Amino acid sequence: MADDADVIVVGAGLAGLVAATEIADSGKRVIVVEQEGEQSLGGQAFWSFGGLFLVDSPEQRRLGIKDSFELALQDWMGTAGFDREEDVWPRRWAEAYVAFAAGEKRGWLRAMGHRIFPVVGWAERGGYDAMGHGNSVPRFHVTWGTGPGVVAPFERRARDAQASGNLTFKFRHRVDALTITGGAFDGITGSMLEPDDVERGKSSSRKVIGDFTLRAQAVIVAAGGIGGNHDLVRQNWPKRLGDAPKNMISGVPEHVDGRMIGITEAAGARLINRDRMWHYVEGIRNWSPIWPRHGIRILPGPSSMWFDATGKRLPSPLFPGSDTLGQLHYIMSTGYDYSWFVLTQSIIKKEFALSGSEQNPDLTGKSWLMTARRATNKGAPAPVEAFKSRGADFIVRDNLADLVTAMNALVGDNLLKLDDVKAQIEARDREIGNAFVKDTQVMNIHNARKYIGDRLIRTAKPHRILDPAHGPLIAVKLNILTRKTLGGFETDLDSRVFGRDGNIMPGLYAAGEAAGFGGGGMHGYRSLEGTFLGGCLFSGRNAGRAAAKAVG
Ligand SMILES: Cc1cc2nc3c(=O)[nH]c(=O)nc-3n(C[C@H](O)[C@H](O)[C@H](O)COP(=O)(O)OP(=O)(O)OC[C@H]3O[C@@H](n4cnc5c(N)ncnc54)[C@H](O)[C@@H]3O)c2cc1C
């Protein structure tokens, strides 16, 4: 039987698009198979904030940030905490990826028309020692155009390749199995789903109208992670983070269903680190949901006070933006699966950003004028103000007594005691008078404001939370929001998949979230942020180039 193409790519997300365009541009024929419709091209990356981890970039240097490969690798290793036998390939991927981020990543993207917003963000700041978790310096480079701006160069290359006949898309084709002949992967079988012109991101019909078989010399699995499938998230939930939360909201569309992970594993691939995942603790219910249980992550600046469900301030250094999984671990240890931010209008205005392309019309729409208003406007950006007035998790009041009453009413119990909350806020407020202080969160705010990017658009001037001049007071109920899968299929640096017997499985490759963004988990236990899109770029590129070479 003749092959339908040289290589088949499963998934038209970022990793799949990168792999496919590398193959097509090398002159080989590639088919991209995608269960969703054409309107979903780009997968999760379209919805993303477009933040990219880069090291020692011109943007950093312009802002006076001194970064280096050595500093970034130190941060990565302190964050990853690799400690398992199966971390051999993840560790090699981590080293190679940090070198990519410090080397050709920016130039490669730039040559394709990708551009970066000039103020570099500072995500996952840690708060431990130099060898512990976190970014020592700001490294979160937001794409000018956010997620769609990351997808665009690859969509353009894919469309060109489609026109020249090297690349074929097969939308509404859902892969159900991988085929193997003589020990080598040589194709896929699956179901054709009925056409559905549902809006991008909404759940599409799963009605099967036929089946298909496709053959090629190699198959690349780039089918994403498990974040949209809460059953799988709970099943793989690590005990070290406490019990799986009862209530979670979804930071990803329903097509991030993890189904292809099971199919690939059933074909003999070695899935490692499945208990490593990256979920956020600052999730808010979307008042205008696109996908089921749609939640948005707040990307917080450092000043909001953070209380657990019982009204106890989170311990140092678990401040907003410091250590996502440290916070998750702490919150789950309280016996409740939510927590609270308490802040002022001055803080929300300067410090709240929402992760997602549709929540940032200024950056997504590449409008300098709208973006400049972030610094000059009286209110927060319009999408944040919309959440403030319409979001189910937001409470706005003029005084603390009314705020606490409304917080208790929102969850339907009396866990929060006004006197308790008041005493903690007043104590923190007494630390505001001096620039040298005991309260480590206030210290952290002073430190953040030494970085010009934070002082300009991310960190409010220190003030008393209970100062009415900075009001009204705001409370936000924070939910746990599922997002990323850090484990995945074990791969070598060519993205070739290992079988359970420890040998490479001929003809099978994996990239993006399905491969734990490379190696089966290049992040280890935790991430420095902005590393997921980049992981798709790097592993997709390696997979595409290696598969194109291998098929001869
Ligand atoms: C709101 C949001 C904000 C984010 N912000 C950032 C950020 O700022 N920085 C960052 O680094 N990362 C960010 N991320 C994460 C990042 O976008 C994702 O991790 C990444 O895009 C995953 O890409 P992927 O190609 O591996 O998988 P996906 O995008 O999930 O694509 C996989 C594709 O495979 C298809 N598929 C699955 N199974 C099958 C099957 N059996 N048959 C056929 N097709 C199948 C799916 O339908 C899907 O289209 C964000 C994500 C979201 C949702």
Side-chain angles (χ1 to χ4, degrees), residues 158-401:
R159 297 293 182 198
D160 288 349
Q162 207 181 1
S164 72
N166 277 355
L167 186 151
T168 306
F169 282 115
K170 296 220 180 267
F171 294 106
R172 302 298 284 159
H173 281 56
R174 188 187 68 192
V175 179
D176 297 330
L178 297 162
T179 58
I180 307 173
T181 306
F185 284 79
D186 63 351
I188 52 175
T189 62
S191 312
M192 280 149 69
L193 305 177
E194 71 173 345
D196 191 341
D197 58 6
V198 67
E199 216 179 295
R200 182 199 277 270
K202 290 207 189 289
S203 306
S204 66
S205 163
R206 285 294 178 259
K207 187 169 171 211
V208 173
I209 54 167
D211 50 34
F212 69 90
T213 301
L214 290 167
R215 289 176 57 90
Q217 292 179 61
V219 178
I220 300 177
V221 175
I226 66 170
N229 183 335
H230 290 196
D231 290 341
L232 272 184
V233 169
R234 289 203 175 90
Q235 211 173 298
N236 292 310
W237 190 269
K239 265 278 164 231
R240 64 181 176 277
L241 290 177
D243 290 335
K246 282 195 194 66
N247 304 298
M248 294 188 282
I249 53 179
S250 276
V252 294
E254 208 172 26
H255 66 68
V256 190
D257 56 19
R259 196 171 159 274
M260 192 64 205
I261 303 265
I263 291 167
T264 312
E265 197 184 9
R270 186 167 182 229
L271 183 63
I272 57 174
N273 298 318
R274 67 178 87 210
D275 63 326
R276 291 179 180 164
M277 34 183 116
W278 189 246
H279 305 305
Y280 294 107
V281 283
E282 314 96 333
I284 47 176
R285 288 169 284 169
N286 194 347
W287 60 271
S288 175
I290 298 167
W291 55 75
R293 299 175 283 204
H294 190 171
I296 300 289
R297 184 204 174 195
I298 300 169
L299 296 161
S303 305
S304 298
M305 286 191 78
W306 203 336
F307 295 93
D308 67 25
T310 68
K312 197 165 156 239
R313 195 172 170 196
L314 263 61
S316 172
L318 303 181
F319 317 125
S322 62
D323 174 7
T324 293
L325 289 196
Q327 288 144 0
L328 180 54
H329 178 248
Y330 174 82
I331 290 165
M332 292 318 298
S333 77
T334 66
Y336 299 90
D337 48 23
Y338 67 91
S339 61
W340 297 97
F341 274 169
V342 172
L343 61 150
T344 62
Q345 176 64 23
S346 298
I347 295 173
I348 201 170
K349 171 181 138 31
K350 197 140 180 188
E351 299 198 2
F352 266 37
L354 301 173
S355 181
S357 52
E358 83 290 1
Q359 300 295 336
N360 294 276
D362 49 357
L363 294 162
T364 304
K366 304 185 183 178
S367 165
W368 284 112
L369 190 69
M370 277 170 77
T371 306
R373 287 201 196 115
R374 281 186 187 230
T376 56
N377 255 14
K378 274 194 115 167
V384 176
E385 286 292 332
F387 264 95
K388 207 180 98 191
S389 55
R390 308 174 76 164
D393 295 310
F394 282 69
I395 300 167
V396 183
R397 293 290 185 277
D398 285 328
N399 64 71
L400 189 63

Side-chain angles (χ1 to χ4, degrees), residues 405-483:
T405 304
M407 290 162 79
N408 278 329
L410 183 65
V411 290
D413 58 31
N414 274 323
L415 281 178
L416 302 171
K417 304 287 173 241
L418 173 63
D419 287 349
D420 247 23
V421 176
K422 190 165 169 221
Q424 294 173 83
I425 299 180
E426 282 177 347
R428 177 263 182 212
D429 278 2
R430 282 184 205 106
E431 301 271 313
I432 288 299
N434 291 297
F436 36 90
V437 291
K438 180 174 75 175
D439 186 283
T440 37
Q441 181 173 11
V442 178
M443 246 185 242
N444 201 41
I445 297 169
H446 291 306
N447 185 42
R449 283 180 60 85
K450 289 198 180 121
Y451 164 50
I452 185 175
D454 267 11
R455 197 163 62 246
L456 277 176
I457 56 167
R458 281 300 269 163
T459 307
K461 211 167 161 192
H463 59 273
R464 290 185 300 112
I465 300 275
L466 296 179
D467 180 351
H470 290 276
L473 285 169
I474 301 162
V476 188
K477 179 174 175 246
L478 304 171
N479 309 282
I480 291 164
L481 173 117
T482 63
R483 186 92 98 211

